[in-house]
Amino acid sequence: MLQILGITAPIFILIGIGFLSARGRLVGPEQVLGLGKFVITFALPALVIRALLEKPLDEVFDATYLLAYGIGSQAVFWGGFLFSRLVRKDGLSGSALSGMGMSVSNSGFIGYPIVVMVLGSPAAVALALGMLVENLLMIPLALGIAELGRQNGGSLRAALLDTFMRLLRNPIIIAISIGLALALLGVRLPAVPARVVEMLAAASAPVALFVIGASLYGLKAGGLVKDVAQLSIGKLLLHPLAVWLSFQLLPPVEPALRVAGVLFACAPMMSIYPILGQRFGLEGRCAAALVVTTVLAFVSISGFIGALT
């Protein structure tokens, strides 16, 4: 138990420092936004490029991992979508946002810092592979369906195309493309650029956790018990269990990658979840779910680490 706390406690202490810094007005919203942009635009892309260049490409790219993580995430997405649509009688937008909240992790800001403390270098490879699933499959699908509900009969194809084009400009996707291209060509970065990439990558985990904590300050979690319960159970329990089951049913992958996939699925939903929900009038539900799942993740992640390691 103490060993598990040694892994998870520093993660949530850093989140707590970010929260208290925002509450004490040591950092303001604009500064937090700037730090978040630094992580998304520079630190995480550097981390992905480093991961893709550290090993030969055939050791980095794992189709079974992509398939297992994708199948598990899709199963939870459609389960959450159908439950919201058929049982809770939500509209298309609300159902799609519920499914996304249950099946898309905060991989960069919370998942990676946890997995790197448990496994070390395999965490970066799993991050790059998981980002492919999340950014090219899960997010476009969820936002496309949500846009269809908002447009009252609009074109799903147009909504998906618009989402896909915006995702192509995502710094993480650009970094994956650059890293894959360099790896395919057998190019290695010269000493100075490589050191810059290394320094940026090292900053990703602590700054990301600080930003998560600071971003949680001011979010309200009351009055939405049923919504939050569904999203919390789906994200913190069903998603990692579905990914774990997918790994059991498919051909074996490297044990460290299998553990990484399940732990990435354990992370709460994306920190921009309330921002995405705002477009569809669901920011209250999304913000409440983000607060509660981030707090409860300390317990659920500790439990999964104990079971997997």
Side-chain angles (χ1 to χ4, degrees), residues 108-124:
F109 284 83
I110 293 184
Y112 172 74
I114 290 169
V115 179
V116 76
M117 290 193 69
V118 177
L119 298 174
S121 59

Side-chain angles (χ1 to χ4, degrees), residues 8-295:
T8 56
I11 302 292
F12 290 92
I13 288 173
L14 278 172
I15 292 174
I17 291 172
F19 180 87
L20 292 174
S21 297
R23 184 176 181 181
R25 303 293 192 271
L26 295 176
V27 293
E30 290 186 358
Q31 293 168 308
V32 175
L33 180 62
L35 287 171
K37 287 184 176 180
F38 165 77
V39 173
I40 290 293
T41 307
F42 297 106
L44 284 178
L47 176 71
V48 169
I49 291 173
R50 185 186 70 177
L52 292 173
L53 295 180
E54 273 185 340
K55 298 180 180 180
L57 189 58
D58 58 349
E59 294 182 22
V60 173
F61 186 82
D62 194 311
T64 304
Y65 181 97
L66 290 173
L67 189 61
Y69 198 82
I71 289 174
S73 299
Q74 280 284 297
V76 175
F77 171 82
W78 287 111
F81 176 85
L82 292 174
F83 182 85
S84 295
R85 187 78 171 136
L86 302 177
V87 178
R88 309 216 37 219
K89 306 301 181 182
D90 280 347
L92 275 179
S93 297
S95 299
L97 265 291
S98 292
M100 182 169 66
M102 294 168 61
S103 61
V104 180
S105 295
N106 195 336
S107 299
F109 284 83
I110 293 184
Y112 172 74
I114 290 169
V115 179
V116 76
M117 290 193 69
V118 177
L119 298 174
S121 59
V125 174
L127 172 67
L129 294 172
M131 285 285 190
L132 286 174
V133 175
E134 292 169 354
N135 286 281
L136 298 182
L137 175 63
M138 302 304 300
I139 295 174
L141 174 65
L143 292 183
I145 296 173
E147 286 287 354
L148 181 61
R150 185 172 179 264
Q151 293 167 9
N152 295 319
S155 168
L156 175 60
R157 179 181 177 183
L160 284 174
L161 181 61
D162 177 66
T163 302
F164 181 73
M165 294 305 295
R166 282 188 280 108
L167 287 170
L168 287 181
R169 299 191 293 271
N170 185 303
I172 300 293
I173 299 301
I174 294 172
I176 290 172
S177 302
I178 292 172
L180 287 174
L182 293 175
L184 285 170
L185 295 172
V187 176
R188 289 294 176 265
L189 294 176
V192 173
R195 181 58 179 159
V196 172
V197 168
E198 182 74 25
M199 293 171 70
L200 286 171
S204 60
V207 178
L209 292 170
F210 182 92
V211 169
I212 281 292
S215 300
L216 288 177
Y217 176 71
L219 295 180
K220 306 299 182 183
L224 295 161
V225 175
K226 291 183 179 179
D227 297 288
V228 171
Q230 175 191 342
L231 292 168
S232 299
I233 292 171
K235 186 70 208 68
L236 300 180
L237 294 177
L238 298 184
H239 190 201
L241 288 174
V243 171
W244 176 83
L245 182 60
S246 296
F247 278 120
Q248 305 308 308
L249 297 176
L250 291 172
V253 301
E254 183 183 342
L257 278 180
R258 185 172 63 246
V259 173
V262 177
L263 291 181
F264 271 113
C266 288
M269 64 276 292
M270 304 175 294
S271 56
I272 61 169
Y273 188 54
I275 299 172
L276 297 176
Q278 186 176 30
R279 178 174 175 82
F280 307 98
L282 298 169
E283 63 272 21
R285 176 199 297 186
C286 296
L290 178 62
V291 172
V292 173
T293 54
T294 302
V295 173

